Amino acid sequence: MTDPAAAALGQSAVAEDPAAARRRHAELSAIIQEQRWNYYVLDAPTMTDGQFDRLMRRLEELERDWPELVGPDSPTQQVGPLGASFAAVEHPSVMLSLDNAFDYAEVKAWSQRLEHLVGAERVARSGYLCEAKIDGLAVDLVYRDGRLVQAATRGDGRVGEDVTANVWTIAAVPHRLTGPAPELIEVRGEVFLPLAGFQDLNRELEAAERKTFANPRNAAAGSLRLKDPKVTAERPLTFLCHGLGLGLIAAERLSEVYDRLSQWGLPTSPETRPADSVERVLAWVDDLGQRRHRLSHEIDGAVVKVDDLALQAELGATIRAPRWAIAYKFPPVEVTTRLLDIRVNVGRTGRVTPYAVMAPVEVAGSTVEMATLHNAAEVDRKGVLIGDTVVLRKAGDVIPEVLGPVLADRDGSQRRFVMPQRCPDCGCELRPEKAGDADLRCPNQRACPAQVRQRLVHLASRAALDIEGLGERAAEALLADGVLADESELFDLTAEALLDCALFRNQSGALSAVGTKLLEQLEQAKRRPFERFLIGLSIRHLGKGVAPQVAAAVGDIDELAQATVERLTEIAGVGPIVAEAVVEWFGVDWHRQIVRRWRAAGALAAPPKPSSATLAQTLTGLSIVVTGTLPGYSREQASAAITARGGKATGSVSSRTDFVVAGDNAGSKLAKAQSWGRPILDQAAFEILLAQGPAGLTESTEPA
Ligand code: IVH
């Protein structure tokens, strides 16, 4: 890459005199601090992990030679900066980071240091605990009397951001510990997105034409810092414990602590293994490295810890990291390859996206030859030319990402990419949707073959109508052979029409098994629920996340076609952007024509209205106290509303109360709720709670 990181790495750490050392220290510190900000706060790193680690290494070497440069502000003494938007909370005990080892020799050197400090025999008696290093973000969970009362990000290690409302929505994090638990326990672990969840999320974001995440770590960080816990609740975040802060557990070994955490219902990683020697540690780390691409989540290394808790205490910590643990970081998966061409792809909604075509190269367990470049501005920002040698990485080991050119390999034969002015599929002039948009679009939505094809494929996708046999190839053939003009005709397809398409004929000219299957699938698809049609319609911003709420609220397509922006924004989860997109969609003639033709063909039948006997059990396991008067509810009606949804309506506030609903003239129960620190809800929040359960509560309705 061509940025300050590369420049700074080009220089050596050795400085001849104190002034030069100071200058070099200041320069390295500034680059590292900026990168930390980009990484932790903006979730948009501008250098590779490998480069960052090497910069840190340079700084450490410099500080070793010039110890007077080590100050409290030095990046080597800090853990990471704070974001600005969530309330700051002090952790009950400081969250340290880990020292890194970049090869096996450094792991061995660490174990020798331990032996030197406390004697080889004691280290051998303790043994090590090897763990996967989960690539997510650290959170600190505080349980008081077995209840989760606070969740915070690591921040600078001392003070983090209060993300309790969001962590509450993570199913893997228990709200209550099972069995008797200590008065106070501080559990640390990693919040992350499993790979499958990350891929689903990006697909959804893509479908809703929103910015996708570069890797699971960024996606997890972004999801945990959303201002609306309702949205966080839809993100498939999960959690694994990897340590303790304050709180006493009667145990001699860390491995026993993990057993105890599991008994309380806290998730621990299956990738945890005791090892009685450093050789065994390294054998396991090696094995983990071989398996890392087959795990269900990203890992960026292994963490090796001294298992004996008394020995841990004796070894203690530096200001930054414990002496009893070390993180072995896997070598970064970055490769170079040749950028053969930059082409453009036209998406379902007309967005024209440049993508890199590269000489096939093996990276993180698979062969890569294409990578999206997002838009023309991004091509410029990366500074890549066609013909360049480029650095490629599998972002989050999933999505290939071109990082930048290797400038030293340029020989003058490289050429700039020029964004086409016309659609490569239909020839229409491309334009941004509105002034200032980075993306260019093909405006020929109705007839551009690429757009129609992509809409058909989307309609057939699993989240929408799940029509097996209508993939990219079939859609292309049906359109190219004139069997379909667009999606409005899909449910009119007959065996006779399919015979016009070679793909659906067998050798004797009759309908093939694939053709018969497609017709059967179409019949089934006609009967899918309304929400699946909604997802399939390619209405912008109306994806899997919000379609079920819209479908449940409006009942059928006719009602939706009539709905105003005001009506739609009353639906939980629907904001003005979605609402306007829906109204705009139904304002287009050929869109309404799609609906008419589908209905005429027997699709999109009105769904039966749900009966009140099937109320969603949103409050299962929750104990709720109602106090004061709530307009529209008698006390009995409020209690009935709670119990009908699986909750328990109780009369008095205690530490076991999950929520207190306070209406007008609430008296002593409200005061008691405040003194117990129980969440207090007003009527509006109560109604959200009834409809959606705790995950529906936003920060403003759910006091910390
Ligand atoms: S132990 C004082 N164990 O890695 C001990 N950390 O680079 C600190 N991490 O801040 C943490 N997997 O967010 C530990 N098995 C594991 C881990 C792990 C991931 C993260 C954690 C930590 C960071 C340090």
Side-chain angles (χ1 to χ4, degrees):
M1 298 227 309
T2 53
D3 45 38
L9 281 167
Q11 301 171 30
S12 96
V14 183
E16 302 300 332
D17 58 73
R22 192 165 294 282
R23 273 199 308 279
R24 182 101 183 89
H25 189 269
E27 181 198 16
L28 280 170
S29 302
I31 297 170
I32 289 171
Q33 293 294 32
E34 183 183 350
Q35 177 57 11
R36 279 193 165 157
W37 179 260
N38 291 341
Y39 184 85
Y40 286 111
V41 181
L42 305 180
D43 294 324
T46 53
M47 64 177 77
T48 68
D49 288 356
Q51 282 177 318
F52 180 81
D53 289 336
R54 286 198 294 280
L55 281 178
M56 260 318 256
R57 200 42 93 79
R58 287 280 156 85
L59 191 70
E60 281 162 10
E61 286 167 25
L62 193 68
E63 290 186 349
R64 212 170 305 139
D65 292 344
W66 304 91
E68 66 273 30
L69 295 178
V70 184
D73 290 333
S74 169
T76 58
Q77 307 302 304
Q78 295 160 20
V79 181
L82 281 179
S85 46
F86 287 85
V89 281
E90 194 164 340
H91 303 304
S93 68
V94 172
M95 290 179 83
L96 294 172
S97 189
L98 288 171
D99 283 334
N100 293 319
F102 293 95
D103 55 36
Y104 291 173
E106 291 185 350
V107 179
K108 282 190 179 153
W110 166 75
S111 98
Q112 279 160 4
R113 271 199 309 279
L114 297 182
E115 292 178 354
H116 179 73
L117 284 168
V118 295
E121 199 201 314
R122 293 187 61 205
V123 176
R125 224 181 307 133
S126 155
Y128 301 96
L129 198 61
C130 314
E131 302 176 9
K133 187 169 187 305
I134 305 150
D135 199 9
L137 68 164
V139 294
D140 190 51
L141 307 178
V142 180
Y143 285 89
R144 282 186 197 279
D145 298 322
R147 284 163 176 275
L148 177 64
V149 294
Q150 181 179 294
T153 62
R154 184 177 59 185
D156 67 0
R158 193 183 62 79
V159 176
E161 296 170 311
D162 185 344
V163 287
T164 312
N166 285 346
V167 167
W168 211 357
T169 68
I170 303 175
V173 177
H175 295 183
R176 287 193 204 180
L177 302 180
T178 39
E183 212 175 307
L184 170 73
I185 184 120
E186 198 185 2
V187 179
R188 268 109 195 232
E190 207 77 359
V191 166
F192 61 97
L193 270 179
L195 290 170
F198 166 67
Q199 282 157 342
D200 284 351
L201 172 61
N202 262 359
R203 261 196 293 271
E204 261 175 55
L205 291 171
E206 178 115 37
E209 295 212 27
R210 304 206 4 235
K211 206 166 159 267
T212 52
F213 288 104
N215 57 53
R217 204 207 74 86
N218 286 5
S223 303
L224 196 64
R225 295 236 206 74
L226 286 165
K227 273 305 199 177
D228 183 352
K230 267 190 299 208
V231 187
T232 303
E234 283 164 15
R235 302 279 167 93
L237 289 170
T238 188
F239 172 80
L240 285 171
C241 299
H242 53 54
L244 275 190
L246 225 57
L248 284 180
I249 291 187
E252 288 177 7
R253 292 180 170 273
L254 181 58
S255 33
E256 288 170 44
V257 169
Y258 287 152
D259 290 342
R260 190 64 55 83
L261 296 181
S262 296
Q263 285 159 7
W264 283 329
L266 284 156
T268 53
S269 171
E271 294 298 342
T272 306
R273 189 69 46 94
D276 57 12
S277 68
V278 75
E279 288 71 28
R280 292 240 160 94
V281 165
L282 293 177
W284 185 81
V285 171
D286 206 54
D287 177 60
L288 183 70
Q290 314 265 346
R291 293 184 291 115
R292 68 181 285 207
H293 300 303
R294 300 198 293 273
L295 300 185
S296 62
H297 59 83
E298 277 273 279
I299 61 173
D300 58 344
V303 184
V304 188
K305 301 173 181 174
V306 166
D307 198 16
D308 185 309
L309 296 174
L311 199 55
Q312 282 190 4
E314 199 173 317
L315 285 162
T318 65
I319 187 164
R320 201 186 95 90
R323 291 193 189 85
W324 46 263
I326 189 108
Y328 167 78
K329 299 280 274 284
F330 291 133
V333 192
E334 285 172 15
V335 295
T336 56
T337 184
R338 183 58 63 95
L339 177 59
L340 302 174
D341 200 2
I342 297 180
R343 298 187 194 147
V344 295
N345 172 56
V346 184
R348 169 163 72 96
T349 56
R351 185 166 65 186
V352 179
T353 315
Y355 64 95
V357 180
M358 294 161 292
V361 62
E362 199 43 39
V363 48
S366 64
T367 306
V368 172
E369 47 193 320
M370 280 186 282
T372 181
L373 291 165
H374 304 289
N375 54 49
E378 190 65 6
V379 178
D380 282 348
R381 197 187 66 76
K382 290 185 189 289
V384 287
L385 302 181
I386 297 167
D388 264 338
T389 301
V390 289
V391 180
L392 177 75
R393 117 177 124 181
K394 279 268 246 7
D397 279 350
V398 188
I399 300 173
E401 181 188 5
V402 173
L403 295 170
V406 178
L407 292 177
D409 282 5
R410 285 220 173 130
D411 60 7
S413 67
Q414 288 75 16
R415 61 191 166 86
R416 283 181 71 80
F417 161 71
V418 183
M419 187 72 181
Q421 298 301 304
R422 294 191 166 274
C423 173
D425 287 79
C426 71
C428 271
E429 197 173 330
L430 303 179
R431 52 176 194 239
E433 188 171 46
K434 49 185 187 319
D437 275 2
D439 293 330
L440 284 184
R441 287 172 191 278
C442 165
N444 180 18
Q445 291 186 331
R446 181 171 193 183
C448 171
Q451 293 187 56
V452 181
R453 186 180 70 238
Q454 303 277 2
R455 286 203 301 270
L456 276 171
V457 172
H458 170 73
L459 188 57
S461 67
R462 212 171 278 167
L465 298 186
D466 196 10
I467 307 170
E468 219 181 291
L470 184 56
E472 190 92 29
R473 210 162 79 106
E476 170 134 37
L478 290 168
L479 294 169
D481 293 340
V483 177
L484 283 184
D486 62 32
E487 65 267 51
S488 69
E489 299 174 355
L490 183 63
F491 293 106
D492 298 328
L493 271 182
T494 58
E496 201 183 358
L498 280 185
L499 287 176
D500 286 343
C501 187
L503 195 68
F504 298 103
R505 280 195 308 263
N506 60 22
Q507 277 166 344
S508 52
L511 190 65
S512 67
V514 178
T516 312
K517 179 90 198 252
L518 178 60
L519 292 175
E520 279 167 20
Q521 287 275 312
L522 285 169
E523 274 313 305
Q524 286 176 23
K526 284 181 187 173
R527 296 191 292 273
R528 302 262 187 258
F530 175 38
E531 66 177 65
R532 306 274 293 276
F533 278 91
L534 266 190
I535 296 169
L537 279 173
S538 286
I539 300 177
R540 288 179 68 184
H541 311 295
L542 187 69
K544 207 163 82 176
V546 70
Q549 283 94 300
V550 174
V554 298
D556 70 19
I557 193 102
D558 293 328
E559 229 179 298
L560 187 63
Q562 303 301 323
T564 60
V565 169
E566 293 70 38
R567 161 79 185 96
L568 289 167
T569 45
E570 282 166 10
I571 302 169
V574 176
I577 295 180
V578 177
E580 275 161 26
V582 171
V583 171
E584 203 174 290
W585 194 90
F586 281 101
V588 175
D589 271 355
W590 65 271
H591 288 161
R592 290 196 304 271
Q593 169 82 354
I594 295 175
V595 173
R596 271 197 299 276
R597 288 196 67 161
W598 285 2
R599 296 195 74 159
L604 260 176
K609 296 262 182 246
S611 87
S612 60
T614 57
L615 273 180
Q617 297 297 288
T618 46
L619 308 180
T620 305
L622 296 179
S623 164
I624 299 164
V625 174
V626 179
T627 173
T629 48
L630 296 171
Y633 290 91
S634 67
R635 187 61 56 79
E636 289 70 22
Q637 282 169 333
S639 298
I642 293 166
T643 46
R645 289 163 179 83
K648 207 165 124 199
T650 48
S652 63
V653 180
S654 75
S655 67
R656 284 183 300 279
T657 306
D658 290 291
F659 293 98
V660 176
V661 181
D664 293 339
N665 304 319
S668 62
K669 285 184 194 168
L670 176 58
K672 196 160 170 205
Q674 280 158 341
S675 72
W676 278 104
R678 308 317 308 140
I680 298 161
L681 306 183
D682 60 16
Q683 178 157 3
F686 178 46
E687 276 164 4
I688 295 172
L689 183 72
L690 290 175
Q692 298 170 43
L697 295 175
T698 64
E699 255 185 323
S700 55
T701 54
E702 167 54 25

